Amino acid sequence: MRIVSLAGGIGGARFLRGLQAAAPDAELTVVVNTGDDITLYGLRICPDLDTVMYTLGGGIDEQRGWGRQDETFHAKAELEAYDVPTAWFGLGDRDLATHLVRRQMLDAGFPLSEVTRALCARWQPGAALLPMTDDQVETYVRVELDGRERAIHFQEWWVKHRAALPARAIVAVGAERSTPAPGVLDAIAAADVVVLPPSNPVVSIGTVLQVPGIAEALRAKTVVGVSPVIGGAPVRGMADACLSAIGVETNAEAVGRHYRARSDGGLLDGWLVDTADAAATVPGVEVRAVPLLMTDLPAAAAMARAALDLAGA
Ligand code: GDP
Ligand code: CA
């Protein structure tokens, strides 16, 4: 079986680990959001790609959910001692090596997709990890700051301000001019099923879907989604701040209706919600309720199995 997933960082990665456990023989391709990417200190930081790579490759810090296990932050402390204005972004010492390799390969002229493949040669994630695009796409958030309206980088909004500044708009700058990375459309065309993990519907999945050609390619496929929202709140993080920026309520039904039925010009054939949200309905979409908390690997695997069952139905 060939499976394609679109993914962000932590929510995507943990679900994908379950998917690999549930379908060990499947050929999995993951199309990863790169709208969170940012250049700091000359380094190209790709948070979602690295979270998926480290998680599936066994190098992730399980507690934090991002970055390397057994990590130290000496370089970050030194940056703080220099009072650099971007020291709010945590790059661990081990993690820096990944970024040095990426910088060197990008400088040598390799596209991000090739760099990712080279990094994955070490981590062996057991899936093909593809950036959604090799082009530069960066998400910006329009907020009011110091009494005037400004567009700040998504990372500044999310990490520095903890999404506490109300977002007036969220824009993936460069998305409309971007093209899918090599292999993305081929993988979708060859897929037996497409699974949307419980990634952020706005700044993870939503950004991938803005790369011209990807949403269109999905129209020919069976697509099943998993809700990142349980009982009216995101399980982790501040996805509610992203959803309100696009006028979508933070509940499983509203997110499913936002993705909409494929038969209705949207995306979904099936929508998996938590048992707490069993009353949710999405016109034209088969909605099923199962426990959606990824407390451990078996729980994530059970969710993935339910998603594949729903796809088969
Ligand atoms: P990010 O890029 O690191 O923010 O990660 P993603 O976009 O891939 O996923 C973020 C989403 O994962 C958040 O909106 C969470 O609500 C969701 N999430 C995290 N843990 C769980 C879980 O155990 N169950 C469900 N259903 N969603 C989860
Ligand atoms: Ca992310």
Side-chain angles (χ1 to χ4, degrees):
M1 182 172 43
R2 294 197 177 103
I3 305 175
V4 166
S5 273
L6 316 185
I10 299 178
R14 288 191 173 159
F15 176 82
L16 292 169
R17 206 161 45 176
L19 186 57
Q20 287 181 322
D25 298 328
E27 194 183 303
L28 175 63
T29 302
V30 189
V31 181
V32 183
N33 169 47
T34 58
D36 292 17
D37 295 10
I38 188 169
T39 299
L40 293 175
Y41 322 114
L43 302 175
R44 190 68 181 153
I45 301 169
C46 306
D48 290 354
L49 274 171
D50 286 352
T51 295
V52 175
M53 178 176 77
Y54 291 151
T55 302
L56 300 189
I60 198 78
D61 182 295
E62 293 287 343
Q63 248 70 54
R64 262 198 321 274
W66 57 269
R68 294 278 285 108
Q69 65 199 5
D70 303 321
E71 187 59 289
T72 53
F73 288 90
H74 298 299
K76 182 172 191 273
E78 292 291 318
L79 290 167
E80 280 162 0
Y82 281 116
D83 209 15
V84 299
T86 45
W88 46 265
F89 195 89
L91 264 189
D93 301 328
R94 289 181 190 277
D95 202 13
L96 271 173
T98 302
H99 291 84
L100 296 176
V101 173
R102 180 181 288 127
R103 179 73 272 155
Q104 194 161 38
M105 286 193 71
L106 289 170
D107 283 348
F110 290 101
L112 182 61
S113 51
E114 291 288 338
V115 176
T116 303
R117 198 156 59 155
L119 293 171
C120 286
R122 171 184 174 193
W123 291 105
Q124 296 290 319
L129 303 194
L130 304 176
M132 63 186 196
T133 179
D134 279 332
D135 302 320
Q136 181 167 321
V137 174
E138 292 191 9
T139 301
Y140 275 77
V141 182
R142 209 156 60 216
V143 295
E144 192 182 308
L145 192 61
D146 305 326
R148 67 188 184 93
E149 185 155 299
R150 289 213 304 138
I152 60 176
H153 193 285
F154 171 74
Q155 294 299 345
E156 186 177 348
W157 181 65
W158 191 257
V159 178
K160 184 178 173 190
H161 297 288
R162 307 299 304 159
L165 300 171
R168 295 183 172 173
I170 297 179
V171 182
V173 177
E176 77 283 359
R177 294 185 304 276
S178 69
T179 54
V184 169
L185 296 182
D186 289 344
I188 295 172
D192 299 304
V193 56
V194 175
V195 181
L196 307 183
S199 285
N200 188 308
V202 184
V203 294
S204 294
I205 306 272
T207 310
V208 177
L209 293 172
Q210 284 181 55
V211 177
I214 292 185
E216 292 75 1
L218 294 177
R219 298 258 141 78
K221 295 289 151 178
T222 299
V223 180
V224 169
V226 181
S227 177
V229 174
I230 297 181
V235 176
R236 187 191 161 112
M238 298 80 73
D240 46 333
C242 303
L243 286 165
S244 42
I246 63 163
V248 174
E249 277 181 55
T250 302
N251 61 64
E253 176 169 291
V255 174
R257 287 173 182 241
H258 165 67
Y259 283 140
R260 222 151 40 132
R262 200 156 61 86
S263 57
D264 185 23
L267 202 60
L268 295 179
D269 296 286
W271 184 231
L272 213 54
V273 301
D274 187 78
T275 45
D277 302 309
T281 60
V282 180
V285 175
E286 168 106 15
V287 180
R288 268 191 207 167
V290 297
L292 287 191
L293 270 183
M294 296 188 280
T295 41
D296 53 19
L297 181 58
M303 280 165 61
R305 219 168 287 118
L308 293 176
D309 283 352
L310 183 51

